[in-house]
Amino acid sequence: MADLSGMWLGTYWQRDTPTRFEATLVQGGNQLSGSILDDGYLGEAQLSGTVSGRQVRFVKRYITATQTTIDYTGTVSEDGNHLTGQWSISGFDAGPWEAHRSEDDLSASWQTLLEQNFERNLATTAR
C-alpha cells in the first residue's frame, strides 16, 4: 500500500468544465485525512477516507454553509504518484478526477539545484 501523505495537484471535471485543486493528504495506516483548496468559488474543503491496496475512497466537505458531501473513489498508480477516479454527489452530479504528487520538499529541490550548479561550475573550471 502506497503512502499518499504529501502535496497533490489535480483536476476534477463537472459537466466538462475543469476545476484545478491542491490537496494536502495525511495517511496513517489505511486512514486518510487532509484538506483541499479548489481554484474556484467553493474554496477550501476537508476530507476523510481510507486507502486499501491501490484503492482510495474519501468524502470531501466544503468549509461553507452548505453541508453537501462529495464522494471520491479512485485508484493509486503503481508508483504511488498518480490518482484517478470518479467523484459523485448523491443523486445530483458526477464526473472524473485525477491528481499527481507535487514536489513538497522544497529544501530537497533546492539542494538538488545547488548540487547541479556546483557540478557545472567544477566542470567549467576544470577545462
Side-chain angles (χ1 to χ4, degrees):
M1 171 171 53
D3 183 357
L4 303 182
S5 295
M7 300 293 295
W8 294 78
L9 299 176
T11 305
Y12 66 84
W13 288 264
Q14 186 171 19
R15 297 182 202 109
D16 296 324
T17 301
T19 298
R20 301 234 183 248
F21 64 86
E22 297 177 8
T24 302
L25 303 180
V26 177
Q27 184 177 340
N30 71 333
Q31 297 299 304
L32 190 65
S33 63
S35 62
I36 295 177
L37 181 61
D38 284 2
D39 186 23
Y41 72 95
L42 291 172
E44 188 176 359
Q46 297 296 313
L47 69 88
S48 62
T50 58
V51 179
S52 177
R54 291 185 45 215
Q55 301 302 307
V56 62
R57 296 180 159 280
F58 60 88
V59 174
K60 179 167 92 172
R61 290 179 182 85
Y62 284 100
I63 302 175
T64 61
T66 179
Q67 295 300 313
T68 303
T69 60
I70 300 102
D71 296 309
Y72 281 72
T73 59
T75 303
V76 181
S77 65
E78 286 188 30
D79 66 4
N81 292 323
H82 195 252
L83 304 169
T84 57
Q86 294 286 314
W87 62 268
S88 66
I89 301 172
S90 183
F92 175 68
D93 208 350
W97 68 278
E98 63 84 25
H100 63 276
R101 197 177 292 274
S102 174
E103 179 60 56
D104 62 353
D105 189 348
L106 295 177
S107 62
S109 296
W110 181 247
Q111 184 64 33
T112 300
L113 182 63
L114 288 175
E115 288 170 3
Q116 290 171 347
N117 285 338
F118 180 75
E119 291 169 5
R120 198 170 21 247
N121 288 338
L122 273 179
T124 302
T125 56
R127 290 185 207 167

